[in-house]
């Protein structure tokens, strides 16, 4: 049986002539920790993203507001060439024609030609005409004065 002194006197691996083996043994804990970190990063990086919709469906969803606005513009264009005449007793007559929607979805405004005619006996120096645009619930969505 060998004593403790004999074991201590044994040559190291580097002394046997294999310095590379000694270097590898010293860096093994560092390599193991780096491997553990990179494998956890790899698993995190490979998580599945939620599936995306097909291209045609995404384009259709993006274009839906434009198609709605296009249909509304076409409806107003057909009706917009018909003059609308409003007679106000003691005030005069207002004629509105050439209705038109201008803008993009989310930023649309109404343009129209408004004409005031004095049908009273008195002379009017100027006149203000207010145009209120109502939404589908009857609330004022926009207003302008000319």
């Amino acid at each position: 049986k060998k004593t403790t002194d004999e074991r201590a006197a044994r040559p190291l691996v580097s002394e046997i002539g294999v310095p590379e083996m000694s270097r590898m043994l010293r860096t093994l804990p560092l390599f193991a920790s780096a491997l553990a970190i990179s494998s956890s990063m790899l698993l995190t990086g490979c998580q599945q993203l939620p599936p995306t919709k097909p291209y045609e469906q995404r384009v259709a969803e993006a274009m839906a507001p434009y198609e709605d606005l296009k249909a509304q513009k076409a409806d107003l264009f057909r009706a917009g060439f018909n003059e609308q005449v409003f007679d106000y007793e003691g005030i005069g007559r207002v004629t509105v024609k050439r209705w038109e929607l201008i803008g993009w979805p989310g930023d649309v405004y109404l343009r129209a030609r408004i004409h005031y005619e004095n049908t009273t006996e008195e002379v009017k120096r100027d006149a203000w005409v207010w145009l209120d645009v109502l939404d589908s619930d009857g609330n004022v969505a926009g207003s302008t004065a000319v």
Side-chain angles (χ1 to χ4, degrees):
K1 198 170 189 187
K2 294 184 181 179
T3 64
T4 316
D5 293 334
E6 290 175 0
R7 280 191 224 139
R10 281 191 311 202
L12 297 172
V13 174
S14 60
E15 293 173 353
I16 307 175
V18 189
E20 294 83 19
M21 179 66 91
S22 175
R23 224 176 300 126
M24 280 181 50
L25 289 175
R26 277 185 268 143
T27 59
L28 187 61
L30 180 63
F31 177 72
S33 63
L35 181 64
I37 292 172
S38 64
S39 64
S40 67
M41 290 172 58
L42 182 64
L43 291 175
T44 304
C46 293
Q47 289 180 349
Q48 293 260 339
L49 294 174
T52 58
K53 298 175 186 172
Y55 177 74
E56 291 80 15
Q57 185 178 357
R58 288 182 292 166
V59 169
E61 287 175 1
M63 292 303 293
Y66 292 94
E67 295 298 325
D68 292 342
L69 181 60
K70 187 172 151 183
Q72 292 172 1
K73 282 183 174 185
D75 292 342
L76 190 59
F77 182 78
R78 284 190 291 276
F81 281 102
N82 299 329
E83 291 183 355
Q84 293 187 358
V85 179
F86 302 96
D87 283 318
Y88 299 99
E89 187 176 325
I91 298 174
R93 174 181 293 149
V94 176
T95 305
V96 185
K97 58 184 174 181
R98 294 196 53 191
W99 301 86
E100 188 177 12
L101 288 177
I102 307 293
W104 303 96
D107 187 24
V108 179
Y109 62 94
L110 177 72
R111 181 165 62 187
R113 297 220 179 218
I114 301 171
H115 177 74
Y116 169 76
E117 181 183 352
N118 184 5
T119 57
T120 64
E121 297 293 327
E122 61 189 71
V123 176
K124 304 235 185 239
R125 215 171 83 148
D126 54 3
W128 287 94
V129 177
W130 285 89
L131 176 64
D132 290 332
V133 178
L134 306 178
D135 62 9
S136 59
D137 296 331
N139 300 320
V140 176
S143 184
T144 188
V146 282

